[in-house]
Amino acid sequence: MSKLGKFFKGGGSSKSRAAPSSQEALARLRETEEMLSKKQEYLENRIQRELSLAKKHGTQNKRAALQALKRKKRFEKQLTQIDGTLSTIEFQREALENSHTNTEVLRNMGIAAKAMKAVHENMDLNKIDDLMQEITEQQDIAQEISEAFSQRVGFGDNFDEDELMAELEELEQEELNKKMANIRLPNVPSSSLPAQPDRVAGRMSSTSSSAHRSRAASSRRTEEEDDDIKQLAAWAT
């Protein structure tokens, strides 16, 4: 058996001790990471210093330069080992953090399930169904009451719409006849209008033609008025 196996076997002999909590394990892993990071920084500085010594003694003291390079190689090997160890510890820490998170989630879900169970123990499905039916019935009643209030209330309003429209038309026709009776039709002249007396002897011909055009225009207006009156009378009757 290897020394490492003996070490873990010997360390596991004290089974009576309780396992550390996840918080304690995470704290120890973070402390280890911090210690290895400091050791890593120290080794990097030593590598740079040994490299400087090798360059300094390269031409003057080859033995000292070789010793410096040997130390540099040992420090680089240790630095590589520390890099691997840090990667392993980082992976272990992340896995432990995820496990701790899952544990907390599972514990909280269990608490929530117990709380829901305690709440549901005081509920009866039959009572819930009865309550929902009662709520539905009350909503239907409220809807019927609202519809009853919104309906139009008629007190003897059942009249025939056709009769009302016929009576309205008769009233309008009667009112129109009254208006037509009050209209005074103009008298149509039986003879032509007299010509105006001559004022200036030199304008006789122009005055005569103007009077003739005036009489023609007056006659046309009279005829148009007669036609309008006849049409209005025919529409009224």
Side-chain angles (χ1 to χ4, degrees), residues 9 25 42 83 93 100 107 114 120 151 159 182 197 225 229 231:
K9 183 178 180 180
Y42 168 77
D83 289 338
R93 177 177 55 79
H100 176 69
R107 185 174 67 85
K114 291 180 181 179
H120 291 160
Q151 288 179 356
F159 300 109
N182 295 328
E225 290 177 357
I229 292 170
Q231 292 178 2

Side-chain angles (χ1 to χ4, degrees), residues 22-232:
S22 59
Q23 294 294 337
E24 293 176 354
L26 287 172
R28 288 179 178 273
L29 287 174
R30 291 191 181 97
E31 291 177 358
T32 303
E33 282 183 309
E34 185 178 358
M35 179 188 66
L36 291 176
S37 295
K38 291 180 179 180
K39 183 65 179 295
Q40 193 178 35
E41 184 179 357
Y42 168 77
L43 290 174
E44 290 175 351
N45 292 330
R46 286 299 304 271
I47 290 171
Q48 292 296 326
R49 188 167 61 181
E50 296 300 332
L51 183 59
S52 298
L53 289 174
K55 290 179 180 181
K56 180 180 179 181
H57 299 293
T59 56
Q60 298 177 359
N61 191 348
K62 292 183 178 181
R63 182 180 178 184
L66 291 174
Q67 292 296 328
L69 291 175
K70 288 180 181 180
R71 289 192 297 269
K72 172 180 168 292
K73 290 294 183 181
R74 288 197 305 268
F75 293 148
E76 288 177 349
K77 185 177 180 180
Q78 293 180 23
L79 185 60
T80 302
Q81 292 175 352
I82 290 176
D83 289 338
T85 304
L86 281 173
S87 298
T88 303
I89 291 176
E90 183 179 0
F91 174 78
Q92 189 177 12
R93 177 177 55 79
E94 291 177 354
L96 186 57
E97 287 176 349
N98 292 332
S99 299
H100 176 69
T101 302
N102 294 334
T103 302
E104 290 295 323
V105 171
L106 182 62
R107 185 174 67 85
N108 294 332
M109 291 177 65
I111 294 173
K114 291 180 181 179
M116 292 177 64
K117 183 178 180 180
V119 171
H120 291 160
E121 286 178 353
N122 298 325
M123 292 184 180
D124 187 359
L125 293 178
N126 295 326
K127 292 181 179 180
I128 294 174
D129 292 337
D130 295 338
L131 178 62
M132 295 304 298
Q133 291 179 1
E134 184 177 357
I135 292 173
T136 303
E137 291 176 358
Q138 294 301 321
Q139 289 179 347
D140 294 339
I141 293 172
Q143 183 66 26
E144 291 177 359
I145 292 173
S146 299
E147 292 178 355
F149 282 134
S150 62
Q151 288 179 356
R152 180 180 177 183
V153 179
F155 298 96
D157 289 343
N158 296 326
F159 300 109
D160 190 358
E161 294 291 337
D162 294 335
E163 293 180 359
L164 294 176
M165 291 299 297
E167 185 176 356
L168 179 61
E169 290 178 357
E170 290 178 359
L171 293 175
E172 291 177 350
Q173 185 64 38
E174 183 179 354
E175 185 68 21
L176 182 60
N177 292 336
K178 289 180 180 180
K179 291 181 178 180
M180 291 297 299
N182 295 328
I183 295 176
R184 292 184 179 182
L185 299 177
N187 296 324
V188 179
S190 59
S191 61
S192 60
L193 297 176
Q196 296 181 357
D198 296 336
R199 293 183 180 180
V200 181
R203 299 175 61 184
M204 282 295 294
S205 60
S206 60
T207 303
S208 177
S209 60
S210 298
H212 179 71
R213 286 195 299 270
S214 177
R215 286 195 300 271
S218 177
S219 177
R220 285 196 300 272
R221 285 196 298 270
T222 303
E223 291 177 358
E224 292 176 355
E225 290 177 357
D226 292 340
D227 292 338
D228 293 339
I229 292 170
K230 290 178 181 180
Q231 292 178 2
L232 182 61

